[in-house]
Amino acid sequence: RMYRVAHWLHERGFYFIARAVSQLARHKYGIEIHPGAKIGKCLFIDHGMGVVIGETAEIGDYCTIYHGVTLGGTGKDKGKRHPTVGNNVLISAGAKILGPMVIGDNAKIGANAVVLTEVEPDTTVVGVPGRAVKRAGQRIRQSFELDQIHIPDPVSQELCKLRAEIDRLKNELNVYKEAFEEIKKKYCPDLKTEAETGEEVQADCRGKADKAENKE
């Protein structure tokens, strides 16, 4: 309620009085909300000690914030410096959301997470720095996680590579054979291939062997 009064004064240019009211609330409740922050309806701050909400922060409707949460800036931005939180967002104890990013509707921020990038709707973020672990109720597999079931077989992979290379070489050889046959028909029709020559030599040898047997 004291925030609503301070914000009303801030919107009408009574900055000093608005700031005084917000500091009084900070001293009384341990929650520091800048009068310039925009907060929707039904914000629930549970065990609010240590909560800090910056001047350009925006919070949607039906959000829940636990103690030690900071909606702050990084010190690098000008103008809009603090996050925009959507509707029905839960921010757990000790979480830090820094910078002018957007936290989507129905998102959940885990305890002590440090969020520096935007969060999509219906997403759960944990860790330092914050990373998405669930979206729309489905777990998001991290790139560094090892699948213990579907482990690749390196031997099978190498055999597949060899088979593919052999098939490629066969295809190239067939292309060269076809090109050679075309050249042979066009320029050297009487030229015999090695296979044809070998067959003639074998036939000649068989003929000589037969003659030798007949003489004996």
Side-chain angles (χ1 to χ4, degrees), residues 174-187:
N174 290 332
V175 171
Y176 292 142
K177 283 183 177 180
E178 292 175 0
F180 176 76
E181 291 297 331
E182 291 180 1
I183 294 173
K184 175 187 171 184
K185 290 178 181 179
K186 186 174 182 180
Y187 298 104

mmCIF file with all atom_site columns, all heavy atoms in Angstrom, residues 174-187:
data_model
loop_
_atom_site.group_PDB
_atom_site.id
_atom_site.type_symbol
_atom_site.label_atom_id
_atom_site.label_alt_id
_atom_site.label_comp_id
_atom_site.label_asym_id
_atom_site.label_entity_id
_atom_site.label_seq_id
_atom_site.pdbx_PDB_ins_code
_atom_site.Cartn_x
_atom_site.Cartn_y
_atom_site.Cartn_z
_atom_site.occupancy
_atom_site.B_iso_or_equiv
_atom_site.pdbx_formal_charge
_atom_site.auth_seq_id
_atom_site.auth_comp_id
_atom_site.auth_asym_id
_atom_site.auth_atom_id
_atom_site.pdbx_PDB_model_num
ATOM 1   N N   . ASN A 1 174 ? 33.114 -46.677 -62.210 1.00 0.00 ? 174 ASN A N   1
ATOM 2   C CA  . ASN A 1 174 ? 32.128 -46.929 -63.267 1.00 0.00 ? 174 ASN A CA  1
ATOM 3   C C   . ASN A 1 174 ? 32.051 -45.767 -64.247 1.00 0.00 ? 174 ASN A C   1
ATOM 4   O O   . ASN A 1 174 ? 31.901 -45.960 -65.458 1.00 0.00 ? 174 ASN A O   1
ATOM 5   C CB  . ASN A 1 174 ? 30.756 -47.183 -62.646 1.00 0.00 ? 174 ASN A CB  1
ATOM 6   C CG  . ASN A 1 174 ? 30.691 -48.504 -61.907 1.00 0.00 ? 174 ASN A CG  1
ATOM 7   O OD1 . ASN A 1 174 ? 31.420 -49.441 -62.245 1.00 0.00 ? 174 ASN A OD1 1
ATOM 8   N ND2 . ASN A 1 174 ? 29.835 -48.586 -60.896 1.00 0.00 ? 174 ASN A ND2 1
ATOM 9   N N   . VAL A 1 175 ? 32.158 -44.549 -63.715 1.00 0.00 ? 175 VAL A N   1
ATOM 10  C CA  . VAL A 1 175 ? 32.148 -43.374 -64.593 1.00 0.00 ? 175 VAL A CA  1
ATOM 11  C C   . VAL A 1 175 ? 33.345 -43.393 -65.523 1.00 0.00 ? 175 VAL A C   1
ATOM 12  O O   . VAL A 1 175 ? 33.233 -43.138 -66.734 1.00 0.00 ? 175 VAL A O   1
ATOM 13  C CB  . VAL A 1 175 ? 32.129 -42.087 -63.744 1.00 0.00 ? 175 VAL A CB  1
ATOM 14  C CG1 . VAL A 1 175 ? 32.336 -40.859 -64.629 1.00 0.00 ? 175 VAL A CG1 1
ATOM 15  C CG2 . VAL A 1 175 ? 30.810 -41.968 -62.986 1.00 0.00 ? 175 VAL A CG2 1
ATOM 16  N N   . TYR A 1 176 ? 34.530 -43.733 -64.978 1.00 0.00 ? 176 TYR A N   1
ATOM 17  C CA  . TYR A 1 176 ? 35.738 -43.794 -65.808 1.00 0.00 ? 176 TYR A CA  1
ATOM 18  C C   . TYR A 1 176 ? 35.635 -44.904 -66.858 1.00 0.00 ? 176 TYR A C   1
ATOM 19  O O   . TYR A 1 176 ? 36.080 -44.742 -68.001 1.00 0.00 ? 176 TYR A O   1
ATOM 20  C CB  . TYR A 1 176 ? 36.967 -44.021 -64.927 1.00 0.00 ? 176 TYR A CB  1
ATOM 21  C CG  . TYR A 1 176 ? 37.301 -42.852 -64.034 1.00 0.00 ? 176 TYR A CG  1
ATOM 22  C CD1 . TYR A 1 176 ? 37.766 -43.050 -62.739 1.00 0.00 ? 176 TYR A CD1 1
ATOM 23  C CD2 . TYR A 1 176 ? 37.148 -41.545 -64.486 1.00 0.00 ? 176 TYR A CD2 1
ATOM 24  C CE1 . TYR A 1 176 ? 38.068 -41.978 -61.917 1.00 0.00 ? 176 TYR A CE1 1
ATOM 25  C CE2 . TYR A 1 176 ? 37.446 -40.471 -63.673 1.00 0.00 ? 176 TYR A CE2 1
ATOM 26  C CZ  . TYR A 1 176 ? 37.905 -40.688 -62.385 1.00 0.00 ? 176 TYR A CZ  1
ATOM 27  O OH  . TYR A 1 176 ? 38.203 -39.630 -61.586 1.00 0.00 ? 176 TYR A OH  1
ATOM 28  N N   . LYS A 1 177 ? 35.048 -46.039 -66.473 1.00 0.00 ? 177 LYS A N   1
ATOM 29  C CA  . LYS A 1 177 ? 34.889 -47.138 -67.426 1.00 0.00 ? 177 LYS A CA  1
ATOM 30  C C   . LYS A 1 177 ? 33.982 -46.731 -68.577 1.00 0.00 ? 177 LYS A C   1
ATOM 31  O O   . LYS A 1 177 ? 34.266 -47.013 -69.747 1.00 0.00 ? 177 LYS A O   1
ATOM 32  C CB  . LYS A 1 177 ? 34.308 -48.361 -66.715 1.00 0.00 ? 177 LYS A CB  1
ATOM 33  C CG  . LYS A 1 177 ? 35.315 -49.120 -65.869 1.00 0.00 ? 177 LYS A CG  1
ATOM 34  C CD  . LYS A 1 177 ? 34.673 -50.358 -65.251 1.00 0.00 ? 177 LYS A CD  1
ATOM 35  C CE  . LYS A 1 177 ? 35.682 -51.167 -64.459 1.00 0.00 ? 177 LYS A CE  1
ATOM 36  N NZ  . LYS A 1 177 ? 35.058 -52.370 -63.846 1.00 0.00 ? 177 LYS A NZ  1
ATOM 37  N N   . GLU A 1 178 ? 32.880 -46.076 -68.249 1.00 0.00 ? 178 GLU A N   1
ATOM 38  C CA  . GLU A 1 178 ? 31.959 -45.639 -69.300 1.00 0.00 ? 178 GLU A CA  1
ATOM 39  C C   . GLU A 1 178 ? 32.626 -44.627 -70.229 1.00 0.00 ? 178 GLU A C   1
ATOM 40  O O   . GLU A 1 178 ? 32.465 -44.686 -71.457 1.00 0.00 ? 178 GLU A O   1
ATOM 41  C CB  . GLU A 1 178 ? 30.713 -45.034 -68.657 1.00 0.00 ? 178 GLU A CB  1
ATOM 42  C CG  . GLU A 1 178 ? 29.849 -46.053 -67.923 1.00 0.00 ? 178 GLU A CG  1
ATOM 43  C CD  . GLU A 1 178 ? 28.691 -45.406 -67.202 1.00 0.00 ? 178 GLU A CD  1
ATOM 44  O OE1 . GLU A 1 178 ? 28.576 -44.158 -67.283 1.00 0.00 ? 178 GLU A OE1 1
ATOM 45  O OE2 . GLU A 1 178 ? 27.892 -46.129 -66.563 1.00 0.00 ? 178 GLU A OE2 1
ATOM 46  N N   . ALA A 1 179 ? 33.388 -43.704 -69.630 1.00 0.00 ? 179 ALA A N   1
ATOM 47  C CA  . ALA A 1 179 ? 34.087 -42.714 -70.454 1.00 0.00 ? 179 ALA A CA  1
ATOM 48  C C   . ALA A 1 179 ? 35.124 -43.384 -71.354 1.00 0.00 ? 179 ALA A C   1
ATOM 49  O O   . ALA A 1 179 ? 35.283 -43.022 -72.534 1.00 0.00 ? 179 ALA A O   1
ATOM 50  C CB  . ALA A 1 179 ? 34.749 -41.673 -69.550 1.00 0.00 ? 179 ALA A CB  1
ATOM 51  N N   . PHE A 1 180 ? 35.837 -44.386 -70.809 1.00 0.00 ? 180 PHE A N   1
ATOM 52  C CA  . PHE A 1 180 ? 36.843 -45.100 -71.604 1.00 0.00 ? 180 PHE A CA  1
ATOM 53  C C   . PHE A 1 180 ? 36.201 -45.847 -72.769 1.00 0.00 ? 180 PHE A C   1
ATOM 54  O O   . PHE A 1 180 ? 36.724 -45.857 -73.887 1.00 0.00 ? 180 PHE A O   1
ATOM 55  C CB  . PHE A 1 180 ? 37.608 -46.070 -70.700 1.00 0.00 ? 180 PHE A CB  1
ATOM 56  C CG  . PHE A 1 180 ? 38.601 -46.915 -71.432 1.00 0.00 ? 180 PHE A CG  1
ATOM 57  C CD1 . PHE A 1 180 ? 39.820 -46.382 -71.846 1.00 0.00 ? 180 PHE A CD1 1
ATOM 58  C CD2 . PHE A 1 180 ? 38.318 -48.243 -71.732 1.00 0.00 ? 180 PHE A CD2 1
ATOM 59  C CE1 . PHE A 1 180 ? 40.728 -47.161 -72.534 1.00 0.00 ? 180 PHE A CE1 1
ATOM 60  C CE2 . PHE A 1 180 ? 39.223 -49.019 -72.420 1.00 0.00 ? 180 PHE A CE2 1
ATOM 61  C CZ  . PHE A 1 180 ? 40.434 -48.482 -72.824 1.00 0.00 ? 180 PHE A CZ  1
ATOM 62  N N   . GLU A 1 181 ? 35.054 -46.484 -72.519 1.00 0.00 ? 181 GLU A N   1
ATOM 63  C CA  . GLU A 1 181 ? 34.374 -47.219 -73.583 1.00 0.00 ? 181 GLU A CA  1
ATOM 64  C C   . GLU A 1 181 ? 33.920 -46.284 -74.695 1.00 0.00 ? 181 GLU A C   1
ATOM 65  O O   . GLU A 1 181 ? 34.011 -46.619 -75.881 1.00 0.00 ? 181 GLU A O   1
ATOM 66  C CB  . GLU A 1 181 ? 33.168 -47.972 -73.005 1.00 0.00 ? 181 GLU A CB  1
ATOM 67  C CG  . GLU A 1 181 ? 33.534 -49.136 -72.098 1.00 0.00 ? 181 GLU A CG  1
ATOM 68  C CD  . GLU A 1 181 ? 34.292 -50.221 -72.837 1.00 0.00 ? 181 GLU A CD  1
ATOM 69  O OE1 . GLU A 1 181 ? 34.070 -50.375 -74.055 1.00 0.00 ? 181 GLU A OE1 1
ATOM 70  O OE2 . GLU A 1 181 ? 35.119 -50.897 -72.207 1.00 0.00 ? 181 GLU A OE2 1
ATOM 71  N N   . GLU A 1 182 ? 33.448 -45.100 -74.321 1.00 0.00 ? 182 GLU A N   1
ATOM 72  C CA  . GLU A 1 182 ? 33.028 -44.146 -75.346 1.00 0.00 ? 182 GLU A CA  1
ATOM 73  C C   . GLU A 1 182 ? 34.210 -43.687 -76.191 1.00 0.00 ? 182 GLU A C   1
ATOM 74  O O   . GLU A 1 182 ? 34.119 -43.578 -77.418 1.00 0.00 ? 182 GLU A O   1
ATOM 75  C CB  . GLU A 1 182 ? 32.356 -42.947 -74.669 1.00 0.00 ? 182 GLU A CB  1
ATOM 76  C CG  . GLU A 1 182 ? 31.008 -43.280 -74.040 1.00 0.00 ? 182 GLU A CG  1
ATOM 77  C CD  . GLU A 1 182 ? 30.377 -42.076 -73.382 1.00 0.00 ? 182 GLU A CD  1
ATOM 78  O OE1 . GLU A 1 182 ? 31.000 -40.988 -73.442 1.00 0.00 ? 182 GLU A OE1 1
ATOM 79  O OE2 . GLU A 1 182 ? 29.275 -42.212 -72.811 1.00 0.00 ? 182 GLU A OE2 1
ATOM 80  N N   . ILE A 1 183 ? 35.345 -43.410 -75.524 1.00 0.00 ? 183 ILE A N   1
ATOM 81  C CA  . ILE A 1 183 ? 36.544 -42.981 -76.259 1.00 0.00 ? 183 ILE A CA  1
ATOM 82  C C   . ILE A 1 183 ? 37.049 -44.107 -77.160 1.00 0.00 ? 183 ILE A C   1
ATOM 83  O O   . ILE A 1 183 ? 37.460 -43.891 -78.311 1.00 0.00 ? 183 ILE A O   1
ATOM 84  C CB  . ILE A 1 183 ? 37.638 -42.543 -75.263 1.00 0.00 ? 183 ILE A CB  1
ATOM 85  C CG1 . ILE A 1 183 ? 37.182 -41.290 -74.515 1.00 0.00 ? 183 ILE A CG1 1
ATOM 86  C CG2 . ILE A 1 183 ? 38.956 -42.287 -75.976 1.00 0.00 ? 183 ILE A CG2 1
ATOM 87  C CD1 . ILE A 1 183 ? 38.107 -40.881 -73.396 1.00 0.00 ? 183 ILE A CD1 1
ATOM 88  N N   . LYS A 1 184 ? 37.012 -45.324 -76.647 1.00 0.00 ? 184 LYS A N   1
ATOM 89  C CA  . LYS A 1 184 ? 37.473 -46.478 -77.422 1.00 0.00 ? 184 LYS A CA  1
ATOM 90  C C   . LYS A 1 184 ? 36.633 -46.674 -78.687 1.00 0.00 ? 184 LYS A C   1
ATOM 91  O O   . LYS A 1 184 ? 37.159 -46.892 -79.781 1.00 0.00 ? 184 LYS A O   1
ATOM 92  C CB  . LYS A 1 184 ? 37.408 -47.720 -76.546 1.00 0.00 ? 184 LYS A CB  1
ATOM 93  C CG  . LYS A 1 184 ? 37.750 -49.012 -77.285 1.00 0.00 ? 184 LYS A CG  1
ATOM 94  C CD  . LYS A 1 184 ? 37.487 -50.213 -76.401 1.00 0.00 ? 184 LYS A CD  1
ATOM 95  C CE  . LYS A 1 184 ? 37.618 -51.494 -77.213 1.00 0.00 ? 184 LYS A CE  1
ATOM 96  N NZ  . LYS A 1 184 ? 37.279 -52.681 -76.411 1.00 0.00 ? 184 LYS A NZ  1
ATOM 97  N N   . LYS A 1 185 ? 35.307 -46.588 -78.529 1.00 0.00 ? 185 LYS A N   1
ATOM 98  C CA  . LYS A 1 185 ? 34.429 -46.775 -79.682 1.00 0.00 ? 185 LYS A CA  1
ATOM 99  C C   . LYS A 1 185 ? 34.628 -45.679 -80.721 1.00 0.00 ? 185 LYS A C   1
ATOM 100 O O   . LYS A 1 185 ? 34.522 -45.912 -81.922 1.00 0.00 ? 185 LYS A O   1
ATOM 101 C CB  . LYS A 1 185 ? 32.977 -46.789 -79.223 1.00 0.00 ? 185 LYS A CB  1
ATOM 102 C CG  . LYS A 1 185 ? 32.610 -48.030 -78.424 1.00 0.00 ? 185 LYS A CG  1
ATOM 103 C CD  . LYS A 1 185 ? 31.169 -47.948 -77.950 1.00 0.00 ? 185 LYS A CD  1
ATOM 104 C CE  . LYS A 1 185 ? 30.801 -49.174 -77.120 1.00 0.00 ? 185 LYS A CE  1
ATOM 105 N NZ  . LYS A 1 185 ? 29.406 -49.101 -76.623 1.00 0.00 ? 185 LYS A NZ  1
ATOM 106 N N   . LYS A 1 186 ? 34.929 -44.475 -80.248 1.00 0.00 ? 186 LYS A N   1
ATOM 107 C CA  . LYS A 1 186 ? 35.023 -43.347 -81.164 1.00 0.00 ? 186 LYS A CA  1
ATOM 108 C C   . LYS A 1 186 ? 36.368 -43.276 -81.875 1.00 0.00 ? 186 LYS A C   1
ATOM 109 O O   . LYS A 1 186 ? 36.431 -43.021 -83.085 1.00 0.00 ? 186 LYS A O   1
ATOM 110 C CB  . LYS A 1 186 ? 34.770 -42.056 -80.387 1.00 0.00 ? 186 LYS A CB  1
ATOM 111 C CG  . LYS A 1 186 ? 34.702 -40.819 -81.265 1.00 0.00 ? 186 LYS A CG  1
ATOM 112 C CD  . LYS A 1 186 ? 34.296 -39.604 -80.447 1.00 0.00 ? 186 LYS A CD  1
ATOM 113 C CE  . LYS A 1 186 ? 34.182 -38.365 -81.338 1.00 0.00 ? 186 LYS A CE  1
ATOM 114 N NZ  . LYS A 1 186 ? 33.787 -37.165 -80.558 1.00 0.00 ? 186 LYS A NZ  1
ATOM 115 N N   . TYR A 1 187 ? 37.459 -43.508 -81.136 1.00 0.00 ? 187 TYR A N   1
ATOM 116 C CA  . TYR A 1 187 ? 38.791 -43.294 -81.703 1.00 0.00 ? 187 TYR A CA  1
ATOM 117 C C   . TYR A 1 187 ? 39.573 -44.590 -81.935 1.00 0.00 ? 187 TYR A C   1
ATOM 118 O O   . TYR A 1 187 ? 40.406 -44.657 -82.833 1.00 0.00 ? 187 TYR A O   1
ATOM 119 C CB  . TYR A 1 187 ? 39.610 -42.380 -80.789 1.00 0.00 ? 187 TYR A CB  1
ATOM 120 C CG  . TYR A 1 187 ? 39.006 -41.008 -80.619 1.00 0.00 ? 187 TYR A CG  1
ATOM 121 C CD1 . TYR A 1 187 ? 38.333 -40.664 -79.459 1.00 0.00 ? 187 TYR A CD1 1
ATOM 122 C CD2 . TYR A 1 187 ? 39.103 -40.059 -81.637 1.00 0.00 ? 187 TYR A CD2 1
ATOM 123 C CE1 . TYR A 1 187 ? 37.768 -39.410 -79.296 1.00 0.00 ? 187 TYR A CE1 1
ATOM 124 C CE2 . TYR A 1 187 ? 38.539 -38.802 -81.489 1.00 0.00 ? 187 TYR A CE2 1
ATOM 125 C CZ  . TYR A 1 187 ? 37.878 -38.480 -80.313 1.00 0.00 ? 187 TYR A CZ  1
ATOM 126 O OH  . TYR A 1 187 ? 37.326 -37.239 -80.158 1.00 0.00 ? 187 TYR A OH  1
#
